C-alpha cells in the first residue's frame, strides 16, 4: 500500500528564515511520482512540483528547492528566506507511475506560518 | 480563465437533503478526479473518470454518492440524503494521463 507521512503538523518561523518541510513516503512500486501542493486559506490546491521516481536530481525554483532521496524515501521541501505570503498548508503526495490511475495519495499536510 | 472550475463554491444544506456539485475540467484533459478533504486532513480520493467512463471508486464513496461525466466534459457529484459527516471540501482535478493534476477551487459543503 502507498502512504505519505508529513510528521510536522505546524511550523512557525519569522520572515526571512529558511524552513524545511519533511515528507516520507512508502510504496512498493518501482515507478511513481511525487508532488508538492500548496493550499492557501482560499482552499485551492496549487501545484508546485512533480518528481519522477527515476529522477533523483534536486531542483531549485527561485526560493524553493526540493531534495529527493530514494534511499530514505524522502522528498523534502525547503523555502529559503521565507515570506509572509508563504503561509499556507503544504501537502506532499504520491501517485503510481505509467498506465495507472494516477490517483494522488496525500499526506496530512504541514501548516506553515511565517510571521513578519 | 482555462483552469478547473467548480460550482457552487459553498453549499449549506440540511441533513437529509440532496446536493449536486459540478466540475468543469481543463478542456483538453480527458481524466477527471474527485477528492474529499475534511478539516485538518489531506484530500482523499473518491473516484475518477477517463472521458465518460468511471474507472475507479473509493470505498469512501458510499451508495449515497454518485458521480457522472456524461459527455466526457464536465462532471457532477451528487450526495443523496446528506449526513453531517458529509461536511467537507469537495475538490475536483483534471489531467492528461502521465502529467500533473490541476485542482479547482473546491466546493465547501456544510450539512446542518
Amino acid at each position: 500500500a502507498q502512504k505519505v507521512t508529513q510528521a510536522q503538523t505546524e511550523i512557525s518561523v519569522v520572515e526571512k528564515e529558511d524552513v524545511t518541510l519533511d515528507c516520507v513516503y512508502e510504496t512498493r512500486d518501482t515507478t511513481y511520482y511525487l508532488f508538492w501542493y500548496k493550499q492557501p486559506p482560499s482552499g485551492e490546491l496549487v501545484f508546485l512540483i512533480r518528481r519522477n521516481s527515476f529522477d533523483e536530481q534536486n531542483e531549485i525554483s527561485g526560493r524553493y528547492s526540493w531534495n529527493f532521496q530514494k534511499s530514505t524515501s524522502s522528498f523534502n521541501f525547503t523555502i529559503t528566506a521565507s515570506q509572509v505570503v508563504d503561509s499556507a498548508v503544504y501537502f506532499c503526495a504520491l501517485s503510481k507511475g505509467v498506465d495507472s490511475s494516477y490517483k494522488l495519495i496525500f499526506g496530512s499536510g504541514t501548516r506553515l506560518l511565517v510571521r513578519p | 480563465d482555462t483552469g478547473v472550475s467548480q460550482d457552487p463554491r459553498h453549499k449549506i444544506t440540511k441533513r437529509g437533503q440532496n446536493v449536486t456539485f459540478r466540475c468543469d475540467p481543463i478542456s483538453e484533459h480527458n481524466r477527471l478526479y474527485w477528492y474529499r478533504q475534511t478539516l485538518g486532513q489531506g484530500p482523499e480520493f473518491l473516484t475518477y473518470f477517463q472521458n465518460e467512463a468511471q474507472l475507479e471508486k473509493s470505498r469512501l464513496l458510499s451508495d449515497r454518492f454518485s458521480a457522472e461525466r456524461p459527455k466526457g466534459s464536465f462532471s457532477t457529484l451528487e450526495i443523496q440524503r446528506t449526513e453531517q459527516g458529509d461536511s467537507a471540501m469537495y475538490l475536483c482535478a483534471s489531467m492528461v494521463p502521465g502529467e500533473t493534476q490541476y485542482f479547482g477551487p473546491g466546493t465547501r459543503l456544510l450539512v446542518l
Side-chain angles (χ1 to χ4, degrees):
Chain A
Q2 296 183 311
K3 185 179 178 181
V4 175
T5 301
Q6 295 181 255
Q8 303 153 309
T9 305
E10 188 166 326
I11 300 175
S12 180
V13 298
V14 176
E15 201 170 22
K16 297 184 183 178
E17 283 186 16
D18 299 346
V19 57
T20 296
L21 310 182
D22 298 332
C23 172
V24 174
Y25 64 92
E26 296 176 29
T27 181
R28 294 180 181 176
D29 298 309
T30 55
T31 305
Y32 53 89
Y33 294 99
L34 294 163
F35 304 80
W36 277 94
Y37 286 86
K38 174 182 180 179
Q39 189 173 44
S42 62
E44 183 166 351
L45 281 167
V46 177
F47 167 74
L48 296 177
I49 189 171
R50 181 181 76 153
R51 177 61 73 214
N52 183 310
S53 56
F54 292 110
D55 182 2
E56 284 193 75
Q57 284 191 347
N58 293 330
E59 180 156 339
I60 298 174
S61 176
R63 297 183 297 107
Y64 295 169
S65 64
W66 291 269
N67 184 350
F68 175 29
Q69 291 193 337
K70 289 180 75 171
S71 61
T72 56
S73 297
S74 65
F75 186 43
N76 297 337
F77 172 30
T78 297
I79 302 175
T80 303
S82 59
Q83 300 177 359
V84 172
V85 293
D86 295 328
S87 296
V89 181
Y90 290 85
F91 290 98
C92 181
L94 169 70
S95 78
K96 291 188 176 186
V98 177
D99 296 329
S100 76
S101 68
Y102 298 108
K103 66 183 177 185
L104 294 171
I105 307 299
F106 284 88
S108 55
T110 296
R111 180 177 299 278
L112 174 64
L113 175 63
V114 182
R115 308 186 312 274
Chain B
D1 185 14
T2 56
V4 179
S5 62
Q6 292 185 247
D7 184 70
R9 296 290 306 277
H10 303 272
K11 180 71 177 179
I12 300 174
T13 191
K14 293 182 179 179
R15 189 177 50 182
Q17 297 294 305
N18 299 343
V19 294
T20 300
F21 309 141
R22 175 176 170 131
C23 171
D24 286 88
I26 295 171
S27 58
E28 63 267 28
H29 288 182
N30 60 352
R31 288 215 179 168
L32 186 149
Y33 297 77
W34 287 98
Y35 293 84
R36 181 172 70 185
Q37 185 180 19
T38 53
L39 205 60
Q41 299 299 314
E44 295 175 291
F45 169 79
L46 292 178
T47 188
Y48 88 98
F49 294 84
Q50 176 150 314
N51 299 313
E52 66 275 10
Q54 187 174 18
L55 296 185
E56 185 175 343
K57 294 193 289 187
S58 161
R59 282 173 290 182
L60 291 175
L61 212 65
S62 76
D63 55 8
R64 296 184 297 106
F65 288 68
S66 62
E68 293 182 342
R69 193 182 184 199
K71 297 182 180 180
S73 56
F74 73 91
S75 175
T76 58
L77 178 67
E78 181 183 16
I79 309 174
Q80 296 183 326
R81 305 181 302 282
T82 52
E83 301 173 355
Q84 288 184 326
D86 297 331
S87 296
M89 171 84 94
Y90 290 85
L91 292 160
C92 177
S94 70
M95 71 182 290
V96 171
E99 300 296 322
T100 296
Q101 284 186 36
Y102 292 95
F103 284 81
T107 295
R108 290 184 189 271
L109 173 66
L110 177 61
V111 182
L112 301 176

